[in-house]
Amino acid sequence: MIEELEFRVLGRLTVTRGGEEVAIRATKHRVLLACLLVSPNTVVPVRRLIDRIWDGAPPEDARAVVHTYVSRLRATLGRTGLIETVPEGYRIHVEAQRLDLTRFRALVRDSAAENDLATSISLLRKALGEWTGLPLSDVESEELHRVEVARLDAEWSAANEKVVDFMIRSGRHGEVLPLLRYLVDESPLDERLRGQLMISLYRDSNQAEAVSSYHDLRERLGGEPGPALRGLYRGILRAEPSLLAPAAPDPETWWPACQLPSASGDLVGRASELATLTTDLAGSTALVTGPPGIGKTALAIHAAHGVKAAFPDGQLYADLTRERALPRFLRALGMLPGEMPAEKAWHSARYRGLLAGRRVLIVLDNATSIDQVLPVLPMSPGCAVIVTSRYELRGLTACRVRLGQLSTASSQELVDSVLRRRERSTAMSELIELCDGFPLALRIAASNADDESYVDRLRADLSALSVPGDEAADLPAVFSPSYEALSPDARHVLNTLANAHFSDFRAEQVAALVRTPVAPALDQLCDANLLQRTAADRFRLTSLVRRYALAFGR
């Protein structure tokens, strides 16, 4: 009987059979195996394997070479059916208990399903015990480390943050201090971790060190940190009793709040993203990103309605472009405005105390900065958060769901649902093409489709993508805040790309057209989702963003 293979990626890449290591010596075979194992039991596209194996500089016959590498890897592993070939790529079949990554994720999920904090902490500690070092530390691939390993690091950070949250919630602030000091040393500019360290020190009767920790961060930043941490610092200086562990709500006076907007309209072409967003949501934070008008809010609201039965203690919603979340949520949870002091740190502590032991879903719509999100993240393992943002919010530890343009078929389906009829014509095909797969543009255009001259107006003027008197149905107005927030250099680069009619390009092509440094500008445009980074040094500009820059750029 052939012994089963065991795989590890949360440290060195290792394969063992019966306790003996199976040697995978060829560098590119190791990259290939690592790419498959970080997405176990999932199809990995050939194009992704090519990108990771050759770091964005593949040979002309790369697809054939990958096929050869797979054949050789199969022979080395000696297990029939382990690596499956499918039309679009390859899939490795691994039982959950035979890969450290799947064991880790299962334990994290189990901890999120627990209402008992002590059990959750125990499960998370067992999960983190699967890690033996930096993921895939002996695998040579810059692209693999930039994307997949960075994602694994984020999962490790999230699990550690949950351990810290739960231990603070359960009054074990003294016990968690060594871990917190280590995490802060590793990420000294992480304001959430710094705040957890400060509150733990304060609750452990070490006010002086809590103040010193704040001063250390301020010195490293060369200025003041965000408003939440500044409020916490002021509260510690005043030794406010409200910063001590807040009491859980009286179950006799609790009533669920439901603030979710209605899920209006059909959600078309987002089945995969919806499944990703709603799977194992409890105890986690999910971030939906993408360009303006791509349907982030619609996806988040549909997802929230789909899972609200799993959160019987309430569903909270805030549009962060209109109001601050904490005062709105505290009012929904039964507090009167006169009962809430102005101190923001008090708001956050009281809010987390009210959610302790509860199963509540929180939706934060249209976040523009991480400072809007961090004070609202609950500490209760039964709660979950969905955040939408046109920005990447790179400092936020979250499961990320990025929305792209709809396919032509999905675009046609969306238009049909708005018109409540099927219409196939040359004019309709051109209308769909002009909307470039953006759901907001498609809905606006479909509402005007009965006007025979509309396609001509849309072809000539992007302002045709608007409904008079409806600010939310005005595509140029929706794009405008993203453009206005850009630095002058980023605007210049975007305008230059638009005028050059670039759609798919490399950084050096942009550098040849502008005199300013292009890397920071391209990074800012990607962070704002006005550009898409399709490879390490390759970018894509959508036709709608290009038309906006041509029409309204300055």
Side-chain angles (χ1 to χ4, degrees), residues 104-127:
F104 165 76
R105 287 174 172 168
L107 288 163
V108 171
R109 285 196 301 271
D110 290 346
S111 78
E114 273 291 337
N115 283 324
D116 179 65
L117 284 177
T119 304
S120 291
I121 292 167
S122 176
L123 289 167
L124 285 169
R125 283 179 158 175
K126 187 177 179 182

Side-chain angles (χ1 to χ4, degrees), residues 123-327:
L123 289 167
L124 285 169
R125 283 179 158 175
K126 187 177 179 182
L128 290 165
E130 295 288 348
W131 291 67
T132 60
L134 297 174
L136 302 171
S137 55
D138 57 345
V139 177
E140 298 176 18
S141 168
E142 290 183 9
E143 278 298 289
L144 179 71
H145 284 268
R146 186 182 69 82
V147 181
E148 281 82 7
V149 171
R151 174 164 53 81
L152 295 177
D153 284 340
E155 292 185 50
W156 179 85
S157 297
N160 272 294
E161 286 183 14
K162 286 179 181 177
V163 169
V164 170
D165 282 347
F166 298 166
M167 291 183 76
I168 293 173
R169 278 289 332 140
S170 57
R172 296 161 66 179
H173 33 266
E175 186 182 343
V176 81
L177 278 173
L179 172 59
L180 264 173
R181 287 192 174 103
Y182 168 76
L183 294 174
V184 169
D185 283 344
E186 290 292 302
S187 303
L189 301 182
D190 187 316
E191 294 192 15
R192 187 178 186 213
L193 283 174
R194 187 72 67 153
Q196 290 173 321
L197 176 60
M198 289 167 60
I199 198 71
S200 296
L201 288 166
Y202 178 72
R203 291 177 182 175
D204 201 46
S205 303
N206 201 336
Q207 183 185 30
E209 190 179 347
V211 170
S212 176
S213 180
Y214 179 86
H215 290 165
D216 174 69
L217 175 61
R218 186 166 58 187
E219 185 176 336
R220 290 174 183 272
L221 292 173
E224 294 292 336
L229 206 60
R230 293 200 304 271
L232 175 60
Y233 171 65
R234 289 192 296 269
I236 289 173
L237 287 178
R238 292 195 290 264
E240 291 189 357
S242 63
L243 293 181
L244 298 174
D250 179 354
E252 297 302 319
T253 62
W254 178 272
W255 64 92
C258 183
Q259 297 181 313
L260 294 178
S262 61
S264 57
D266 297 325
L267 190 68
V268 175
R270 301 299 192 199
S272 174
E273 293 90 343
L274 185 63
T276 300
L277 189 57
T278 55
T279 300
D280 298 322
L281 187 59
S284 66
T285 299
L287 173 62
V288 182
T289 64
I294 206 67
K296 300 179 291 296
T297 297
L299 176 65
I301 297 305
H302 274 82
H305 279 283
V307 300
K308 67 181 182 181
F311 300 93
D313 293 320
Q315 304 88 42
L316 304 176
Y317 171 88
D319 181 350
L320 299 180
T321 62
R322 299 179 182 274
E323 63 182 320
R324 290 172 48 225
L326 282 176

Side-chain angles (χ1 to χ4, degrees), residues 392-408:
E392 288 300 303
L393 302 186
R394 299 195 184 277
L396 182 65
T397 301
C399 168
R400 292 172 179 266
V401 178
R402 193 188 183 286
L403 296 188
Q405 295 146 278
L406 295 178
S407 65
T408 300

